[in-house]
Structure formats: structure tokens, C-alpha cells
Amino acid sequence: MSEFEDFLIAQSDVLEQLAYELLWRMAHPGADFSEADGCWDMAQIGPLLDCAARILNEAGLRFCRPYFGEEETPCFLMKACSFTPCPMLETKQNGGNENEGKDKA
């Protein structure tokens, strides 16, 4: 796996875990999170992450939410990364994002 794919997987895992924990804690107030069953449901997690991205975007804040799409990786192939300069962007010559080095914030 490439360094970018490793970053993509690690960042996605962190965000999905945090979203899962938020949903679990809201559904189980006062309970110990160590008792969570760990069964993630992307049908619930995905919309929460979409909402968070929308809130950050509307506030004009940069964010990093990479994920693997069906046939794309939006933060890289679709040039939709809103966290530029991304530490994982490759140069344009290597198929990287044309927005490299530009600050969209």
C-alpha cells in the first residue's frame, strides 16, 4: 500500500470510530463506552460524518475526511480535498491534486 492509502485508511478509521463513539454515547447516556459492542453501522456513521463535513464547510473551516468511494477517492482523485495543503498530496507529475499548495480556507 502507498503512504497515501495508509493515511487514507488511518484517517477514515479515526473519524468512523469517533462518530461511532458519539452515536453510542448519545444512545447510552452514563454507560461505560468499554461496554460498547463495536458493531459499526455505516448507515448511521456516514450521515453523521456528512453532516459534520457540511457544518465545517458552511463555517468556512478546512477539514480532512478521506474515504474510498465506489470508483474514486474524493479527497485525491476528485480534487475535492478541502484541507490543502494536504500532507499526503503528491505532485501533479505523479498524478496528484492540482490544488497542491493552494489554501482554500
Side-chain angles (χ1 to χ4, degrees):
M1 241 187 270
S2 73
E3 187 177 357
F4 175 76
E5 289 169 329
D6 291 342
F7 168 77
L8 185 94
I9 290 168
Q11 181 71 359
S12 293
D13 285 350
V14 166
L15 295 176
E16 290 166 6
Q17 173 62 34
L18 289 169
Y20 169 72
E21 183 173 348
L22 173 63
L23 292 170
W24 191 91
R25 288 183 182 276
M26 289 180 76
H28 303 87
D32 184 353
F33 183 66
S34 66
E35 297 173 9
D37 61 13
C39 294
W40 295 22
D41 185 346
M42 287 308 294
Q44 297 165 347
I45 292 171
L48 179 59
L49 293 174
D50 291 342
C51 182
R54 186 176 64 252
I55 291 167
L56 292 169
N57 189 51
E58 289 172 359
L61 300 171
R62 297 184 307 166
F63 59 92
C64 182
R65 185 194 171 209
Y67 61 92
F68 286 105
E70 290 291 320
E71 297 180 23
E72 67 211 13
T73 306
C75 67
F76 186 67
L77 298 175
M78 297 298 292
K79 302 176 189 135
C81 179
S82 67
F83 193 76
T84 54
C86 173
M88 297 307 299
L89 288 176
E90 297 178 14
T91 63
K92 222 173 160 183
Q93 299 92 315
N94 293 328
N97 188 322
E98 70 183 21
N99 293 320
E100 182 176 16
K102 294 181 183 174
D103 187 42
K104 293 184 185 178

XYZ file of all heavy atoms in Angstrom:
820
model
N 0.825 -1.174 0.000
C 0.000 0.000 0.000
C 0.877 1.249 0.000
O 1.948 1.254 0.570
C -0.880 0.009 1.245
C -2.344 0.002 0.908
S -3.381 0.224 2.347
C -3.598 -1.463 2.840
N 0.385 2.303 -0.633
C 1.136 3.544 -0.678
C 0.994 4.303 0.635
O 0.100 4.039 1.436
C 0.645 4.422 -1.832
O -0.618 4.974 -1.512
N 1.851 5.274 0.819
C 1.783 6.107 2.025
C 0.440 6.837 2.075
O -0.163 6.989 3.125
C 2.938 7.105 2.019
C 3.066 7.896 3.284
C 4.264 8.831 3.269
O 5.034 8.840 2.297
O 4.413 9.565 4.246
N -0.050 7.273 0.888
C -1.337 7.963 0.843
C -2.459 7.029 1.274
O -3.330 7.416 2.048
C -1.623 8.509 -0.554
C -2.989 9.123 -0.644
C -3.233 10.371 -0.089
C -4.030 8.451 -1.250
C -4.499 10.931 -0.136
C -5.297 9.010 -1.312
C -5.526 10.251 -0.758
N -2.467 5.783 0.773
C -3.520 4.837 1.154
C -3.481 4.543 2.642
O -4.531 4.432 3.274
C -3.400 3.557 0.340
C -3.795 3.744 -1.110
C -3.432 2.545 -1.967
O -2.421 1.860 -1.662
O -4.142 2.308 -2.949
N -2.289 4.434 3.207
C -2.159 4.221 4.652
C -2.776 5.392 5.416
O -3.504 5.202 6.387
C -0.688 4.063 5.062
C -0.074 2.768 4.561
O -0.821 1.836 4.202
O 1.175 2.703 4.518
N -2.470 6.624 4.970
C -3.042 7.817 5.594
C -4.559 7.807 5.466
O -5.280 8.073 6.424
C -2.457 9.075 4.942
C -3.196 10.327 5.315
C -3.001 10.920 6.560
C -4.092 10.912 4.438
C -3.683 12.076 6.909
C -4.773 12.068 4.776
C -4.577 12.645 6.009
N -5.046 7.506 4.279
C -6.481 7.485 3.999
C -7.206 6.512 4.929
O -8.213 6.861 5.551
C -6.710 7.088 2.542
C -8.122 7.122 2.043
C -8.406 8.452 1.382
C -8.334 6.017 1.036
N -6.678 5.318 5.063
C -7.289 4.301 5.915
C -7.237 4.723 7.382
O -8.231 4.626 8.101
C -6.612 2.932 5.690
C -6.978 2.408 4.298
C -7.012 1.936 6.775
C -6.145 1.227 3.849
N -6.088 5.223 7.824
C -5.942 5.630 9.227
C -6.885 6.784 9.569
O -7.559 6.750 10.604
C -4.493 6.023 9.515
N -6.962 7.800 8.717
C -7.828 8.950 8.978
C -9.295 8.527 8.969
O -10.077 8.938 9.820
C -7.574 10.061 7.944
C -8.396 11.306 8.131
C -8.018 12.145 9.343
O -7.115 11.810 10.112
N -8.706 13.240 9.516
N -9.684 7.689 8.008
C -11.062 7.198 7.955
C -11.414 6.398 9.204
O -12.500 6.567 9.770
C -11.278 6.333 6.710
O -11.179 7.104 5.550
N -10.495 5.539 9.633
C -10.736 4.731 10.833
C -10.947 5.611 12.062
O -11.846 5.363 12.863
C -9.577 3.764 11.084
C -9.576 2.574 10.141
O -10.570 2.379 9.409
O -8.563 1.845 10.127
N -10.130 6.650 12.213
C -10.253 7.547 13.367
C -11.607 8.243 13.354
O -12.319 8.271 14.358
C -9.100 8.589 13.388
C -9.394 9.716 14.359
C -7.785 7.919 13.726
N -11.981 8.811 12.201
C -13.250 9.541 12.117
C -14.442 8.616 12.332
O -15.397 8.981 13.029
C -13.357 10.251 10.770
C -12.336 11.364 10.536
C -12.471 11.926 9.129
C -12.455 12.460 11.579
N -14.408 7.421 11.757
C -15.516 6.482 11.930
C -15.624 6.023 13.374
O -16.729 5.886 13.913
C -15.352 5.301 10.974
C -15.586 5.713 9.532
C -15.119 4.691 8.522
O -14.703 3.574 8.915
O -15.160 5.009 7.320
N -14.499 5.790 14.042
C -14.516 5.388 15.447
C -15.103 6.495 16.310
O -15.921 6.248 17.193
C -13.111 5.026 15.933
C -13.005 4.763 17.426
C -13.827 3.587 17.918
O -13.988 2.605 17.210
N -14.354 3.673 19.133
N -14.687 7.742 16.058
C -15.207 8.860 16.844
C -16.705 9.058 16.607
O -17.453 9.330 17.544
C -14.442 10.142 16.512
C -13.003 10.180 17.024
C -12.259 11.362 16.430
C -12.962 10.214 18.541
N -17.149 8.906 15.360
C -18.577 9.030 15.055
C -19.356 7.916 15.752
O -20.421 8.155 16.332
C -18.802 9.004 13.549
N -18.826 6.700 15.704
C -19.470 5.576 16.376
C -19.585 5.844 17.874
O -20.642 5.651 18.475
C -18.694 4.281 16.126
C -19.151 3.135 16.992
C -20.379 2.522 16.767
C -18.364 2.684 18.045
C -20.805 1.468 17.572
C -18.788 1.642 18.849
C -20.008 1.039 18.617
O -20.434 0.011 19.418
N -18.480 6.342 18.464
C -18.498 6.614 19.901
C -19.521 7.699 20.240
O -20.251 7.575 21.233
C -17.113 7.026 20.400
C -17.089 7.245 21.899
C -15.701 7.482 22.464
O -14.697 7.260 21.753
O -15.622 7.892 23.638
N -19.595 8.748 19.442
C -20.576 9.801 19.685
C -21.993 9.236 19.645
O -22.798 9.476 20.558
C -20.437 10.918 18.648
C -21.512 12.004 18.696
C -21.475 12.752 20.021
C -21.353 12.942 17.518
N -22.308 8.466 18.612
C -23.647 7.880 18.495
C -23.930 6.942 19.671
O -25.020 6.963 20.254
C -23.788 7.134 17.165
C -23.775 8.009 15.917
C -23.678 7.143 14.673
C -24.999 8.905 15.865
N -22.962 6.115 20.023
C -23.150 5.157 21.111
C -23.387 5.878 22.428
O -24.291 5.543 23.188
C -21.948 4.221 21.221
C -22.202 3.067 22.125
C -22.700 1.839 21.778
C -21.997 3.020 23.544
N -22.807 1.044 22.882
C -22.388 1.736 23.996
C -21.527 3.932 24.475
C -22.315 1.353 25.320
C -21.455 3.557 25.811
C -21.850 2.269 26.217
N -22.568 6.900 22.710
C -22.706 7.636 23.976
C -24.030 8.391 24.052
O -24.621 8.506 25.129
C -21.528 8.585 24.180
C -20.240 7.851 24.524
C -19.099 8.832 24.792
N -17.862 8.157 25.066
C -17.493 7.679 26.257
N -18.289 7.793 27.292
N -16.320 7.090 26.412
N -24.518 8.889 22.922
C -25.819 9.562 22.921
C -26.949 8.570 23.176
O -27.945 8.910 23.808
C -26.031 10.295 21.602
C -25.139 11.524 21.456
S -25.393 12.397 19.903
C -26.955 13.219 20.264
N -26.786 7.344 22.696
C -27.810 6.316 22.871
C -27.717 5.616 24.223
O -28.668 4.955 24.645
C -27.706 5.279 21.749
N -26.580 5.740 24.897
C -26.352 5.067 26.179
C -25.791 6.053 27.196
O -24.653 5.902 27.661
C -25.380 3.895 26.011
C -25.801 2.882 25.013
N -25.503 2.980 23.677
C -26.540 1.757 25.147
C -26.005 1.951 23.034
N -26.650 1.192 23.896
N -26.553 7.082 27.577
C -26.026 8.092 28.498
C -25.587 7.483 29.826
O -26.273 6.650 30.399
C -27.196 9.058 28.691
C -28.406 8.371 28.176
C -27.968 7.293 27.251
N -24.400 7.888 30.257
C -23.878 7.429 31.536
C -23.246 6.051 31.503
O -22.628 5.643 32.481
N -23.388 5.331 30.396
C -22.808 3.982 30.315
C -21.313 4.063 30.005
O -20.816 5.066 29.509
C -23.520 3.164 29.241
N -20.620 3.000 30.327
C -19.185 2.905 30.085
C -18.966 2.481 28.632
O -19.424 1.420 28.210
C -18.588 1.876 31.042
C -17.078 1.773 30.931
O -16.478 2.389 30.032
O -16.495 1.059 31.765
N -18.260 3.309 27.862
C -18.041 3.016 26.444
C -17.308 1.698 26.238
O -17.445 1.072 25.184
C -17.294 4.169 25.762
C -17.098 3.971 24.288
C -18.178 3.956 23.412
C -15.830 3.782 23.769
C -18.003 3.768 22.054
C -15.638 3.599 22.408
C -16.734 3.589 21.552
N -16.561 1.244 27.232
C -15.862 -0.039 27.080
C -16.858 -1.192 26.942
O -16.494 -2.282 26.522
C -14.913 -0.292 28.256
O -15.643 -0.461 29.459
N -18.125 -0.943 27.278
C -19.169 -1.964 27.126
C -19.785 -1.975 25.733
O -20.620 -2.832 25.426
C -20.269 -1.731 28.163
C -19.797 -1.868 29.590
C -20.859 -1.456 30.595
O -22.016 -1.226 30.207
O -20.514 -1.357 31.782
N -19.395 -1.025 24.874
C -19.942 -0.967 23.517
C -19.600 -2.244 22.771
O -18.516 -2.810 22.935
C -19.387 0.242 22.778
N -20.531 -2.688 21.927
C -20.320 -3.942 21.212
C -19.396 -3.806 20.014
O -18.945 -4.794 19.456
C -21.649 -4.554 20.780
C -22.436 -3.662 19.847
O -21.893 -2.671 19.317
O -23.628 -3.954 19.630
N -19.110 -2.582 19.591
C -18.188 -2.377 18.476
C -18.780 -2.647 17.110
O -18.054 -2.662 16.122
N -20.083 -2.879 17.037
C -20.727 -3.121 15.748
C -21.040 -1.788 15.078
O -22.010 -1.129 15.426
C -22.001 -3.940 15.923
S -21.701 -5.601 16.514
N -20.202 -1.414 14.137
C -20.376 -0.155 13.436
C -21.449 -0.304 12.379
O -21.534 -1.322 11.701
C -19.089 0.259 12.747
C -17.931 0.566 13.640
C -17.759 0.138 14.921
C -16.798 1.334 13.312
N -16.577 0.603 15.405
C -15.956 1.337 14.430
C -16.396 2.009 12.184
C -14.746 2.009 14.469
C -15.191 2.676 12.204
C -14.375 2.677 13.340
N -22.249 0.709 12.220
C -23.258 0.719 11.170
C -23.024 1.967 10.331
O -23.349 3.082 10.741
C -24.668 0.740 11.781
C -25.760 0.624 10.740
O -25.465 0.794 9.534
O -26.905 0.371 11.129
N -22.437 1.778 9.158
C -22.115 2.914 8.309
C -23.365 3.643 7.841
O -23.290 4.804 7.442
C -21.262 2.481 7.123
C -19.816 2.153 7.504
S -18.964 3.457 8.455
C -18.877 4.773 7.249
N -24.528 3.020 7.919
C -25.776 3.699 7.580
C -26.060 4.814 8.585
O -26.786 5.757 8.282
C -26.934 2.706 7.543
N -25.491 4.713 9.772
C -25.631 5.757 10.788
C -24.390 6.646 10.836
O -24.498 7.865 10.979
C -25.862 5.128 12.161
C -27.145 4.342 12.245
C -27.187 3.440 13.456
O -26.184 3.217 14.115
N -28.372 2.920 13.745
N -23.237 6.055 10.715
C -21.980 6.793 10.815
C -21.773 7.711 9.610
O -21.385 8.871 9.763
C -20.795 5.817 10.981
C -20.889 5.145 12.351
C -19.462 6.530 10.804
C -19.918 4.011 12.554
N -22.046 7.212 8.419
C -21.844 8.003 7.202
C -22.591 9.324 7.221
O -21.989 10.386 6.987
N -23.916 9.310 7.505
C -24.642 10.581 7.551
C -24.128 11.539 8.630
O -24.153 12.754 8.432
C -26.087 10.151 7.847
C -26.173 8.764 7.302
C -24.817 8.164 7.568
N -23.660 11.000 9.748
C -23.105 11.863 10.793
C -21.841 12.554 10.286
O -21.663 13.764 10.472
C -22.801 11.058 12.063
C -22.184 11.839 13.218
C -23.092 12.985 13.664
C -21.892 10.918 14.377
N -20.981 11.809 9.620
C -19.760 12.395 9.064
C -20.099 13.381 7.945
O -19.451 14.435 7.825
C -18.808 11.304 8.582
C -18.217 10.426 9.688
C -17.402 9.290 9.094
C -17.379 11.253 10.648
N -21.107 13.069 7.132
C -21.549 14.003 6.086
C -22.022 15.309 6.711
O -21.715 16.396 6.219
C -22.685 13.405 5.251
C -22.244 12.251 4.370
O -21.024 12.108 4.122
O -23.128 11.492 3.928
N -22.792 15.202 7.780
C -23.309 16.377 8.480
C -22.165 17.207 9.061
O -22.158 18.435 8.940
C -24.280 15.948 9.577
S -25.021 17.319 10.467
N -21.210 16.552 9.677
C -20.061 17.260 10.251
C -19.286 17.981 9.149
O -18.891 19.143 9.322
C -19.155 16.285 10.997
N -19.093 17.324 8.015
C -18.389 17.950 6.895
C -19.158 19.168 6.388
O -18.571 20.211 6.093
C -18.174 16.941 5.773
N -20.475 19.042 6.305
C -21.304 20.159 5.845
C -21.208 21.344 6.822
O -21.061 22.493 6.411
C -22.750 19.716 5.680
C -23.640 20.787 5.055
C -25.060 20.320 4.786
N -25.767 19.980 6.020
C -26.068 18.740 6.410
N -25.752 17.708 5.659
N -26.703 18.526 7.541
N -21.270 21.067 8.114
C -21.165 22.114 9.129
C -19.816 22.833 9.022
O -19.747 24.061 9.047
C -21.381 21.552 10.546
C -22.841 21.132 10.713
C -20.950 22.534 11.615
C -23.106 20.289 11.943
N -18.748 22.068 8.910
C -17.418 22.662 8.792
C -17.291 23.473 7.509
O -16.753 24.583 7.507
C -16.346 21.573 8.841
C -16.194 20.865 10.182
C -15.306 19.645 10.031
C -15.662 21.808 11.235
N -17.815 22.936 6.424
C -17.759 23.623 5.137
C -18.530 24.943 5.191
O -18.049 25.985 4.741
C -18.303 22.721 4.036
C -18.073 23.293 2.661
O -16.957 23.666 2.325
N -19.124 23.350 1.865
N -19.738 24.897 5.752
C -20.563 26.105 5.853
C -19.923 27.154 6.756
O -20.146 28.350 6.570
C -21.966 25.751 6.345
C -22.781 25.016 5.308
C -24.104 24.488 5.830
O -24.418 24.662 7.035
O -24.846 23.882 5.028
N -19.125 26.705 7.706
C -18.426 27.629 8.604
C -17.123 28.140 7.977
O -16.435 28.964 8.568
C -18.124 26.946 9.937
N -16.817 27.639 6.790
C -15.595 28.060 6.114
C -14.340 27.453 6.695
O -13.250 27.979 6.501
N -14.495 26.337 7.397
C -13.350 25.674 8.017
C -12.849 24.545 7.130
O -13.635 23.823 6.520
C -13.736 25.128 9.389
C -14.207 26.176 10.390
C -14.766 25.514 11.627
C -13.067 27.114 10.744
N -11.545 24.377 7.107
C -10.961 23.274 6.356
C -11.130 21.996 7.164
O -11.143 22.024 8.386
C -9.480 23.523 6.094
C -9.253 24.734 5.232
C -7.802 24.922 4.886
N -6.964 24.929 6.076
C -5.648 24.801 6.047
N -5.019 24.656 4.916
N -4.945 24.813 7.156
N -11.260 20.886 6.470
C -11.387 19.608 7.154
C -10.806 18.511 6.293
O -10.595 18.691 5.099
C -12.855 19.307 7.503
C -13.769 19.262 6.308
C -14.017 18.070 5.659
C -14.365 20.415 5.829
C -14.851 18.022 4.551
C -15.209 20.390 4.741
C -15.452 19.175 4.092
N -10.537 17.391 6.922
C -9.988 16.238 6.216
C -10.877 15.039 6.497
O -10.924 14.540 7.616
C -8.555 15.969 6.675
S -7.786 14.583 5.807
N -11.602 14.610 5.479
C -12.451 13.429 5.608
C -12.278 12.521 4.392
O -13.133 12.429 3.528
C -13.914 13.817 5.739
C -14.756 12.579 5.996
C -16.200 12.823 5.805
N -16.887 11.544 5.855
C -17.995 11.303 5.221
N -18.566 12.228 4.518
N -18.551 10.127 5.298
N -11.139 11.863 4.309
C -10.915 10.981 3.166
C -11.724 9.698 3.300
O -12.005 9.245 4.395
C -9.423 10.686 3.236
C -9.115 10.778 4.687
C -10.024 11.848 5.230
N -12.121 9.162 2.192
C -12.776 7.861 2.197
C -12.679 7.251 0.814
O -12.482 7.951 -0.170
C -14.238 7.960 2.645
C -15.114 8.827 1.763
C -15.825 8.290 0.702
C -15.234 10.183 2.012
C -16.624 9.085 -0.099
C -16.028 10.987 1.228
C -16.720 10.429 0.164
O -17.504 11.217 -0.629
N -12.783 5.952 0.752
C -12.793 5.248 -0.516
C -14.204 5.256 -1.057
O -15.130 4.827 -0.381
C -12.347 3.787 -0.340
C -10.876 3.620 -0.115
C -10.381 3.317 1.132
C -9.981 3.763 -1.157
C -9.025 3.146 1.351
C -8.621 3.600 -0.958
C -8.154 3.294 0.299
N -14.389 5.744 -2.272
C -15.682 5.686 -2.929
C -15.769 4.443 -3.795
O -14.838 3.643 -3.835
N -16.900 4.281 -4.474
C -17.083 3.123 -5.351
C -15.965 3.051 -6.388
O -15.371 2.025 -6.593
C -18.440 3.198 -6.045
C -19.614 2.977 -5.119
C -19.701 1.550 -4.613
O -19.443 0.610 -5.396
O -20.018 1.381 -3.428
N -15.731 4.151 -7.079
C -14.699 4.172 -8.114
C -13.794 5.381 -7.973
O -13.143 5.774 -8.926
C -15.366 4.176 -9.492
C -16.183 2.926 -9.752
C -16.841 2.954 -11.120
O -16.351 3.664 -12.006
O -17.840 2.255 -11.283
N -13.772 5.960 -6.788
C -12.990 7.170 -6.606
C -12.577 7.335 -5.157
O -13.121 6.718 -4.272
C -13.818 8.383 -7.026
C -15.004 8.607 -6.106
C -16.187 9.232 -6.813
O -16.189 9.266 -8.047
O -17.100 9.661 -6.110
N -11.608 8.171 -4.966
C -11.196 8.607 -3.647
C -11.332 10.126 -3.678
O -10.443 10.818 -4.145
C -9.744 8.187 -3.353
O -9.640 6.788 -3.565
C -9.361 8.522 -1.925
N -12.475 10.663 -3.243
C -12.778 12.076 -3.445
C -11.714 13.057 -2.997
O -11.508 14.065 -3.649
C -14.066 12.282 -2.655
C -14.688 10.936 -2.632
C -13.546 9.966 -2.578
N -11.036 12.796 -1.917
C -10.073 13.791 -1.448
C -8.825 13.830 -2.309
O -8.000 14.702 -2.156
C -9.691 13.522 -0.001
S -8.757 12.018 0.229
N -8.698 12.880 -3.240
C -7.485 12.819 -4.045
C -7.815 12.850 -5.524
O -7.510 13.811 -6.212
C -6.716 11.544 -3.680
C -5.386 11.430 -4.334
C -4.369 12.298 -4.004
C -5.136 10.455 -5.269
C -3.130 12.204 -4.591
C -3.897 10.351 -5.867
C -2.891 11.220 -5.525
N -8.521 11.877 -6.008
C -8.801 11.796 -7.431
C -9.807 12.831 -7.909
O -9.733 13.301 -9.032
C -9.307 10.396 -7.801
C -8.335 9.249 -7.547
C -8.988 7.923 -7.836
C -7.088 9.425 -8.390
N -10.746 13.194 -7.056
C -11.780 14.135 -7.460
C -11.399 15.586 -7.166
O -12.170 16.495 -7.374
C -13.104 13.817 -6.749
C -13.671 12.456 -7.103
S -14.063 12.285 -8.835
C -15.424 13.418 -8.973
N -10.204 15.807 -6.667
C -9.720 17.151 -6.348
C -10.662 17.863 -5.382
O -10.810 19.075 -5.430
C -9.527 17.958 -7.623
C -8.561 17.314 -8.580
C -8.466 18.090 -9.872
C -7.660 17.274 -10.843
N -8.241 17.231 -12.144
N -11.334 17.105 -4.534
C -12.294 17.676 -3.606
C -11.729 17.833 -2.201
O -12.470 18.108 -1.283
C -13.553 16.800 -3.569
N -10.437 17.665 -2.046
C -9.830 17.807 -0.728
C -9.950 19.254 -0.286
O -9.512 20.165 -0.979
C -8.363 17.390 -0.747
S -7.553 17.568 0.855
N -10.576 19.482 0.844
C -10.724 20.852 1.331
C -9.686 21.166 2.405
O -9.771 22.174 3.059
C -12.131 21.066 1.875
O -12.316 20.299 3.025
N -8.728 20.288 2.573
C -7.679 20.523 3.561
C -6.355 20.634 2.828
O -5.543 19.724 2.817
C -7.628 19.399 4.591
C -6.783 19.752 5.784
C -7.271 20.615 6.745
C -5.524 19.245 5.935
C -6.501 20.961 7.843
C -4.740 19.578 7.033
C -5.240 20.436 7.983
N -6.172 21.749 2.143
C -4.937 21.948 1.407
C -4.089 22.977 2.131
O -4.643 23.913 2.705
C -5.214 22.418 -0.031
O -6.030 23.568 0.025
C -5.889 21.330 -0.845
N -2.800 22.871 2.164
C -2.090 21.772 1.538
C -2.144 20.508 2.396
O -1.806 20.533 3.566
C -0.662 22.275 1.438
C -0.536 23.292 2.525
C -1.914 23.880 2.729
N -2.592 19.445 1.813
C -2.696 18.148 2.483
C -1.297 17.563 2.618
O -0.526 17.599 1.667
C -3.585 17.218 1.665
S -3.622 15.523 2.274
N -0.959 17.024 3.766
C 0.382 16.456 3.926
C 0.617 15.246 3.037
O 1.744 14.840 2.837
C 0.430 16.060 5.404
C -0.989 15.895 5.797
C -1.768 16.871 4.962
N -0.460 14.696 2.465
C -0.302 13.491 1.662
C -0.416 13.732 0.154
O -0.342 12.806 -0.620
C -1.352 12.458 2.082
C -1.202 11.990 3.508
S 0.462 11.393 3.926
C 0.617 10.030 2.806
N -0.597 14.990 -0.269
C -0.719 15.250 -1.700
C 0.570 14.917 -2.419
O 1.661 15.172 -1.923
C -1.083 16.710 -1.960
C -2.498 17.116 -1.609
C -2.683 18.613 -1.837
C -3.501 16.339 -2.423
N 0.436 14.354 -3.590
C 1.584 14.079 -4.437
C 1.720 15.233 -5.423
O 0.815 16.036 -5.580
C 1.372 12.769 -5.184
C 1.261 11.577 -4.270
C 1.007 10.297 -5.026
O 1.173 10.285 -6.257
O 0.640 9.315 -4.389
N 2.823 15.295 -6.112
C 2.987 16.341 -7.111
C 2.114 16.050 -8.313
O 1.726 14.907 -8.565
C 4.455 16.435 -7.575
O 4.790 15.209 -8.203
C 5.378 16.725 -6.413
N 1.802 17.077 -9.067
C 0.956 16.930 -10.247
C 1.561 15.916 -11.225
O 0.857 15.150 -11.855
C 0.814 18.295 -10.935
C -0.552 18.589 -11.406
C -0.621 20.008 -11.904
C -1.809 20.153 -12.802
N -1.922 21.454 -13.393
N 2.872 15.898 -11.329
C 3.540 14.973 -12.233
C 3.279 13.520 -11.854
O 3.305 12.637 -12.683
C 5.057 15.206 -12.260
C 5.467 16.574 -12.735
C 5.612 17.547 -11.587
O 4.777 17.611 -10.689
N 6.672 18.336 -11.601
N 3.023 13.272 -10.580
C 2.773 11.913 -10.104
C 1.291 11.625 -9.969
O 0.891 10.710 -9.266
C 3.463 11.686 -8.756
C 4.962 11.708 -8.891
O 5.504 11.322 -9.915
N 5.649 12.190 -7.869
N 0.460 12.432 -10.607
C -0.979 12.199 -10.550
C -1.636 12.849 -9.362
O -2.739 12.485 -8.986
N -0.976 13.833 -8.761
C -1.513 14.466 -7.563
C -2.560 15.514 -7.848
O -2.980 15.729 -8.979
N -2.963 16.173 -6.803
C -4.029 17.162 -6.824
C -3.508 18.476 -7.379
O -2.508 18.992 -6.917
C -4.528 17.353 -5.386
C -5.761 18.207 -5.286
O -5.918 19.184 -6.004
N -6.628 17.829 -4.383
N -4.209 19.054 -8.350
C -3.762 20.315 -8.942
C -3.867 21.473 -7.967
O -3.302 22.533 -8.190
C -4.549 20.631 -10.209
C -5.986 20.999 -9.949
C -6.759 21.247 -11.226
O -6.348 20.775 -12.293
O -7.788 21.909 -11.145
N -4.564 21.292 -6.862
C -4.708 22.339 -5.862
C -3.581 22.329 -4.838
O -3.628 23.060 -3.876
C -6.049 22.202 -5.123
C -7.197 22.471 -6.044
O -7.142 23.365 -6.875
N -8.231 21.671 -5.922
N -2.589 21.499 -5.064
C -1.490 21.389 -4.110
C -0.898 22.761 -3.820
O -0.600 23.527 -4.726
C -0.409 20.459 -4.656
C 0.743 20.263 -3.701
C 1.750 19.267 -4.228
O 1.735 18.960 -5.408
O 2.541 18.803 -3.423
N -0.758 23.053 -2.550
C -0.137 24.292 -2.132
C -1.096 25.477 -2.094
O -0.727 26.535 -1.637
N -2.305 25.306 -2.545
C -3.291 26.399 -2.502
C -4.097 26.280 -1.236
O -4.532 25.200 -0.865
C -4.226 26.336 -3.715
C -3.531 26.586 -5.025
C -4.535 26.528 -6.149
C -3.851 26.707 -7.480
N -4.769 26.525 -8.584
N -4.335 27.383 -0.590
C -5.106 27.379 0.641
C -6.537 27.791 0.312
O -6.769 28.883 -0.168
C -4.498 28.328 1.659
C -5.164 28.239 2.999
O -5.449 27.107 3.438
O -5.413 29.292 3.603
N -7.504 26.892 0.533
C -8.895 27.166 0.225
C -9.643 27.765 1.391
O -10.803 28.074 1.272
C -9.617 25.869 -0.175
C -9.161 25.286 -1.454
C -10.050 24.094 -1.693
C -9.666 23.295 -2.875
N -10.512 22.127 -3.037
N -9.028 27.857 2.558
C -9.752 28.293 3.742
C -10.230 29.705 3.666
O -10.019 30.544 2.977
C -8.907 28.118 4.989
